[in-house]
Structures are given as structure tokens and as C-alpha cells.
């Protein structure tokens, strides 16, 4: 193994973190890292002054190409697009859970995907991975001033999308439990009391599984949607099993319907109420979930 390849392996978690945040897909991120590693094997270490910066640049540029292609594909994606869930990834101490959750949350990843690939890269490299704007400019092939503008636009969008008062993990989990209890009980007033007035829910079936084709907005509509699903499931005599898991750094659920993995469910919390609900049903995005959770 070359010195540069050894540095790649040492930096793999950091590189994976960048690629996943850029693409919102663990499987795509793994492909990017494999491509980057093969390229690194062909580069003599003596030609690289700063191995860490070089590796981040290689991965960033591959991600930019992939992100532009993915953006075109999502124009014809069936229904809302959500990130591929990361299940059981959180291994941090209690002191770092809140910071990690904010960094990996569906809310952040969904907002990142609304940005242009260049805005996304500028923000992640500078604000998340602590690269100087000089390094960002070299990676993106733009001026430092242009990269500052890209990062500023991204930062503004991300700040606007973040909850004003996010919940601590215990409160977040309690609210998730209350949501499920209200859905199972069929209690409309109890359900709406848990939701912010402007709550939104996204269901990603990718055309392979039945899901709402558009986001659903508003406490009344969201409550009726989930209570209606629960009622129909009960009427047909279906069974459900809810497995608690950390999903993208936050409390979440892996849901089995009639003993088959059906979806993951996570929520965003703002000021003590649910501000967003994210349901991933697309089987292509649940492969890693099944591998980690299985029939638990």
C-alpha cells in the first residue's frame, strides 16, 4: 500500500462524511470512495504536498460530477426525494449527540439537496470540514470571492431551514413515541396537538412503493393522512412492528409491516412540536437498513 493510499484509509470516515452529505446516498458515497481510491493508487505520494487536502479535493470533484447527474435524475423522480437513511451510525458520547444529529439530520440533508452542487460543496468544505476559502477555490476551480458567495447563499438557506428550538434527544424520542401512540389510538385531537401548524410530511417511495406523490402541509392534513393510514391498516388486519433505531443521528423507527421491512420514520422537532416527518419506503434506499437491522 502506498503512503497516499494509507492516508486515504486513515481519512476514509471523513471522506465518507463529505460524500454522503454531498449526495444524500450511502451507496453512491461508497461508489465515489472506491473510484477515488483507484485514482489515488496511480498518484505518486511525492507529487502531493498535502495528502488530506488532496484527497478531499478528489472526492469533492467526483461528488460534484455525480451531484449534477443526480440533480437531472431527480427531475423525473417519482414523488419526493429523501436521503438514504443511516441506521445505527451514531456512536458518539451524550455530549456530542445534539451536534452530530444537527450535522446528519434529514432536515439538513434535504436542504442541502435544494442547493446547487457548487453551493453544497462550498458550504460543506468550508463550514463543516474547515477548509480555507483558498482551498475551496482550488477544489471548485473558482475565485475565492465566488466561493465565499456560494457558501454564504448555502449558509443562509440552511440557517432558515433549521429549527429555532430543537429538542434534546430524550424529548425528541418522547415526542416520537407520542406520535405513534396517537396514530395507533386514532385520536385526532391528540395527534394535532403534537404537530406544528405548518408541519410537513414527505414520503419517498421512488415509484417502487405506494407513497404520497407530493409533500403534505398543515397539522390537520398531516394528522388525517397518518390516522387514515393506520385505520386502513387495522381494517385489513395487518400487523406492525416498530424498532427503535438511531437514524441519521436522531431517534427514529424502522417499521416492519406484516413482518417485512416497510419503511423508516424520523421527525424534526421545533419548540416542542413536530415540524416535519420523513418516511422512506423506497426499497433501494433500505438495503443497508435491512443489512443492519434484519429481522430484529
Amino acid at each position: 500500500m502506498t503512503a497516499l493510499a494509507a492516508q486515504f484509509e486513515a481519512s476514509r470516515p471523513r471522506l465518507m462524511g463529505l460524500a454522503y452529505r454531498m449526495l444524500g446516498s450511502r451507496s453512491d458515497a461508497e461508489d465515489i470512495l472506491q473510484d477515488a481510491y483507484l485514482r489515488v493508487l496511480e498518484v505518486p505520494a511525492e507529487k502531493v504536498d498535502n495528502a488530506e487536502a488532496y484527497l478531499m479535493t478528489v472526492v469533492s470533484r467526483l461528488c460534484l460530477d455525480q451531484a449534477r447527474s443526480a440533480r437531472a435524475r431527480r427531475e423525473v423522480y417519482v414523488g419526493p426525494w429523501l436521503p438514504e437513511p443511516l441506521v445505527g451510525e451514531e456512536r458518539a458520547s451524550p455530549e456530542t449527540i445534539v451536534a452530530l444529529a444537527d450535522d446528519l439530520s434529514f432536515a439538513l440533508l434535504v436542504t442541502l439537496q435544494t442547493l446547487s452542487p457548487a453551493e453544497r460543496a462550498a458550504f460543506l468544505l468550508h463550514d463543516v470540514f474547515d477548509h480555507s476559502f483558498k482551498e475551496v477555490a482550488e477544489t471548485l476551480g473558482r475565485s475565492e470571492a465566488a466561493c465565499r458567495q456560494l457558501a454564504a447563499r448555502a449558509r443562509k438557506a440552511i440557517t432558515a431551514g433549521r429549527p429555532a428550538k430543537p429538542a434534546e434527544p430524550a424529548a425528541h424520542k418522547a415526542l416520537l413515541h407520542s406520535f405513534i401512540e396517537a396514530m395507533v389510538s386514532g385520536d385526532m385531537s391528540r395527534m394535532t396537538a403534537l404537530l406544528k401548524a405548518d408541519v410537513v410530511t414527505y414520503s419517498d417511495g421512488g415509484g417502487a412503493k405506494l407513497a404520497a406523490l407530493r409533500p403534505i402541509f398543515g397539522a390537520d392534513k398531516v394528522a388525517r393522512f397518518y390516522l387514515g393510514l393506520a385505520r386502513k391498516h387495522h381494517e385489513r388486519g395487518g400487523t406492525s412492528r416498530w424498532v427503535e433505531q438511531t437514524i441519521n443521528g436522531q431517534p427514529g423507527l424502522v417499521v416492519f409491516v406484516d413482518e417485512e421491512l416497510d419503511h423508516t420514520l424520523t421527525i424534526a422537532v421545533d419548540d416542542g412540536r413536530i415540524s416535519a416527518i420523513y418516511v422512506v419506503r423506497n426499497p433501494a434506499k433500505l438495503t443497508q437498513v435491512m443489512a443492519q437491522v434484519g429481522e430484529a
Side-chain angles (χ1 to χ4, degrees):
M1 180 182 292
T2 67
L4 194 56
Q7 179 61 48
F8 184 99
E9 290 302 334
S11 301
R12 184 178 285 274
R14 185 173 172 85
L15 298 172
M16 174 60 79
L18 171 63
Y20 174 71
R21 288 164 177 81
M22 276 291 296
L23 303 174
S25 166
R26 177 174 177 163
S27 54
D28 286 349
E30 288 173 342
D31 289 343
I32 288 292
L33 261 62
Q34 179 64 19
D35 191 357
Y37 182 76
L38 294 175
R39 296 184 184 215
V40 163
L41 290 177
E42 300 176 357
V43 179
E46 59 271 16
K47 290 190 176 183
V48 178
D49 295 329
N50 184 328
E52 174 76 11
Y54 173 78
L55 294 173
M56 292 291 279
T57 295
V58 171
V59 170
S60 296
R61 289 176 177 170
L62 289 171
C63 284
L64 283 168
D65 290 341
Q66 177 76 1
R68 294 183 184 109
S69 174
R71 195 174 196 183
R73 293 197 304 272
R74 286 173 196 160
E75 290 178 359
V76 294
Y77 192 84
V78 178
W81 178 94
L82 290 175
E84 181 180 345
L86 292 183
V87 173
E89 294 292 317
E90 201 282 297
R91 296 290 184 271
S93 65
E95 292 76 17
T96 62
I97 286 176
V98 173
L100 178 60
D102 184 52
D103 194 38
L104 285 175
S105 69
F106 267 43
L108 173 61
L109 291 168
V110 168
T111 301
L112 282 172
Q113 296 299 318
T114 67
L115 306 174
S116 72
E119 289 171 338
R120 208 179 309 162
F123 170 79
L124 289 171
L125 288 171
H126 181 266
D127 287 41
V128 177
F129 293 96
D130 300 319
H131 282 221
S132 69
F133 276 116
K134 181 176 183 297
E135 292 171 320
V136 175
E138 291 172 353
T139 298
L140 299 185
R142 304 193 184 201
S143 68
E144 287 187 46
C147 290
R148 288 180 186 276
Q149 291 179 342
L150 289 170
R153 287 199 296 269
R155 198 177 302 119
K156 182 178 180 180
I158 289 164
T159 299
R162 280 179 170 155
K165 298 180 181 179
E168 294 294 327
H172 192 122
K173 182 181 290 188
L175 195 55
L176 181 62
H177 287 178
S178 295
F179 172 79
I180 297 304
E181 290 167 1
M183 185 167 65
V184 172
S185 70
D187 190 329
M188 181 70 176
S189 61
R190 185 180 180 185
M191 174 69 84
T192 53
L194 300 173
L195 307 174
K196 292 197 71 175
D198 59 351
V199 65
V200 57
T201 187
Y202 303 90
S203 302
D204 181 347
K209 284 287 190 76
L210 187 64
L213 294 178
R214 293 182 179 82
I216 300 171
F217 294 90
D220 185 73
K221 290 182 179 179
V222 169
R224 291 183 186 282
F225 175 72
Y226 282 101
L227 293 179
L229 289 178
R231 184 179 64 255
K232 291 176 182 177
H233 180 66
H234 176 73
E235 289 172 351
R236 73 172 183 81
T239 63
S240 296
R241 186 157 53 90
W242 313 79
V243 180
E244 292 188 20
Q245 289 284 336
T246 297
I247 299 178
N248 286 68
Q250 296 181 325
L253 296 167
V254 176
V255 183
F256 290 81
V257 174
D258 299 331
E259 292 307 316
E260 292 187 2
L261 175 62
D262 189 79
H263 63 274
T264 62
L265 186 148
T266 54
I267 60 174
V269 180
D270 188 3
D271 198 17
R273 293 190 177 187
I274 297 172
S275 58
I277 304 167
Y278 307 96
V279 174
V280 178
R281 298 199 71 208
N282 187 344
K285 296 182 179 182
L286 299 177
T287 303
Q288 293 284 352
V289 176
M290 176 57 80
Q292 290 180 262
V293 178
E295 300 298 328

